[in-house]
Amino acid sequence: MRSSERIIVNLTICVMIRNEVPYLVEWCDHHFRQSVDQFVLYDDHSTDDTSLVPFLYHRDSVSLYSANPYRNNKVFHDFGAMHMEKQLFILKHCNARSAGRSQYIAAIDVDEFLTSPRSGTIWKYIEQAKLPAQLRIKSIRYGTSGLKRDFSGQITIDPFCGSVEVLAANNETAKGAFPLVRAANPRRAPHPELDDDFEALYNRICLLNKTREESLGCTHADGKSIWRPDLCQVAGVHGCESRQHGGTFKAPLEGLRLNHFAFRSREHVETLNSLLKPTKKAAFDAFDANWFSLRYDPIIGKEKREVTCLFC
């Protein structure tokens, strides 16, 4: 296909992953329903069924690349040592790849779920926002809600009949159904725009911890962005970092929100890589029960556990 005949989609998501099945299936399903057109997955040496995920969806809607910038010349087995270098590499690659292919891209993690409470889908909201060059989206943090173990599962493809099956192991919350991290973790941290008593709670819970590291753990992430790759020269972890023509628009929380499940379970925190574990473990021990899992969220809590995969 010549470049002049290339189909330009509305919205693409770029993400670096490692051993995210079955979380990846739920995450893709959610964002397809939120009007995302394509996913570009960068695999960082997964040992699960990640390579089979593209087979679950329509042709060309899920692409899979290696996250190793050195490809076969050099392999890094320590996830933590080169995490930031690899992440910036895949963002640069995805930004350049998407220019001319996708009007907008977003770089979010598999523990982050973009949604639009007001418009129903992400793309409907972008259209209503008159297509600025970049949309900044605030993050809402969720705790484990008491979940102790990670979900586990596998993907099985039968090449003779063309069927695909996703199996998930039972645990204390899934009860035999395909597990959904959103349904299993419905309790979130207080948020200034969601809770009138945020300041009082912050002073009572967070300021009791005197060390700088623990205090940082009782805050919210910076959020992420959706931006136009054709106008972006430098892609960063939280959005386009180069100056864009058309400006940046900060989306109100009811317009777009990023639900961030940073703590999926106690097991998840205990098995984090050497780069992330010290700070996340400290935040988990100090604040999971009394901050990140403090508020029940009716938007998340109403979701049902059910098989959602879009098999083709």
Side-chain angles (χ1 to χ4, degrees):
M1 180 183 291
R2 297 192 301 271
S3 59
S4 60
E5 299 174 344
R6 183 179 295 158
I7 297 174
I8 300 177
V9 301
N10 293 329
L11 182 58
T12 298
I13 287 183
C14 316
V15 62
M16 185 167 73
I17 54 176
R18 181 187 246 195
N19 294 331
E20 296 286 0
V21 174
Y23 295 101
L24 187 58
V25 176
E26 175 194 355
W27 184 80
C28 286
D29 288 350
H30 167 82
H31 288 99
F32 272 129
R33 289 184 169 87
Q34 278 290 315
S35 69
V36 172
D37 299 292
Q38 292 182 343
F39 293 88
V40 185
L41 313 178
Y42 292 86
D43 183 26
D44 189 24
H45 304 312
S46 292
T47 56
D48 61 7
D49 296 330
T50 293
S51 62
L52 300 180
V53 172
F55 292 97
L56 299 178
Y57 301 100
H58 296 289
R59 183 181 178 182
D60 299 329
S61 60
V62 179
S63 302
L64 186 65
Y65 293 93
S66 170
N68 181 5
Y70 300 99
R71 297 297 192 267
N72 296 326
N73 304 79
K74 194 174 184 181
V75 176
F76 287 85
H77 295 289
D78 181 6
F79 175 81
M82 286 194 60
H83 177 75
M84 185 56 66
E85 181 178 335
K86 284 185 285 190
Q87 193 169 17
L88 292 175
F89 164 77
I90 72 107
L91 290 172
K92 179 180 178 180
H93 181 275
C94 197
N95 187 78
R97 176 192 179 280
S98 300
R101 289 184 171 94
S102 183
Q103 290 194 60
Y104 281 80
I105 64 173
I108 61 175
D109 299 322
V110 178
D111 61 4
E112 297 174 320
F113 291 77
L114 271 170
T115 187
S116 176
R118 175 194 294 171
S119 303
T121 69
I122 302 167
W123 185 249
K124 284 183 180 179
Y125 180 80
I126 293 176
E127 288 185 308
Q128 294 166 0
K130 298 181 180 180
L131 301 178
Q134 182 164 224
L135 281 162
R136 294 282 187 187
I137 307 159
K138 295 180 180 178
S139 177
I140 299 174
R141 296 286 294 275
Y142 290 78
T144 66
S145 299
L147 190 64
K148 295 181 176 61
R149 292 188 293 155
D150 280 349
F151 298 131
S152 58
Q154 66 183 39
I155 300 172
T156 303
I157 294 179
D158 187 335
F160 298 101
C161 63
S163 65
V164 183
E165 185 178 21
V166 179
L167 302 176
N170 294 345
N171 65 19
E172 64 266 31
T173 61
K175 297 181 180 178
F178 190 82
L180 296 181
V181 66
R182 292 166 294 164
N185 302 64
R187 293 188 175 274
R188 59 168 172 79
H191 192 283
E193 295 183 34
L194 296 177
D195 301 295
D196 294 334
D197 57 350
F198 174 84
E199 291 297 334
L201 287 169
Y202 184 85
N203 292 334
R204 179 168 59 86
I205 297 173
C206 303
L207 296 186
L208 291 176
N209 296 273
K210 301 300 182 182
T211 65
R212 180 173 180 271
E213 289 76 16
E214 287 181 341
S215 295
L216 287 174
C218 195
T219 58
H220 298 274
D222 294 332
K224 296 292 177 70
S225 299
I226 297 173
W227 72 90
R228 286 183 55 177
D230 60 321
L231 298 180
C232 182
Q233 295 179 340
V234 181
V237 174
H238 296 283
C240 179
E241 295 185 351
S242 61
R243 187 173 183 179
Q244 292 186 307
H245 298 291
T248 297
F249 177 76
K250 294 181 179 180
L253 203 59
E254 66 273 13
L256 286 176
R257 59 187 273 181
L258 186 72
N259 298 325
H260 187 189
F261 297 88
F263 301 145
R264 291 171 176 165
S265 70
R266 178 176 292 277
E267 180 184 36
H268 172 73
V269 178
E270 295 291 346
T271 56
L272 286 169
N273 68 76
S274 58
L275 178 69
L276 301 176
K277 185 173 181 178
T279 54
K280 282 201 172 184
K281 179 67 164 55
F284 174 82
D285 290 339
F287 300 115
D288 178 60
N290 63 359
W291 184 257
F292 293 114
S293 298
L294 190 61
R295 296 292 200 198
Y296 179 80
D297 192 333
I299 292 180
I300 297 298
K302 68 182 180 182
E303 297 190 45
K304 298 178 180 178
R305 298 186 185 96
E306 59 186 358
V307 178
T308 59
C309 191
L310 305 175
F311 302 132
C312 305

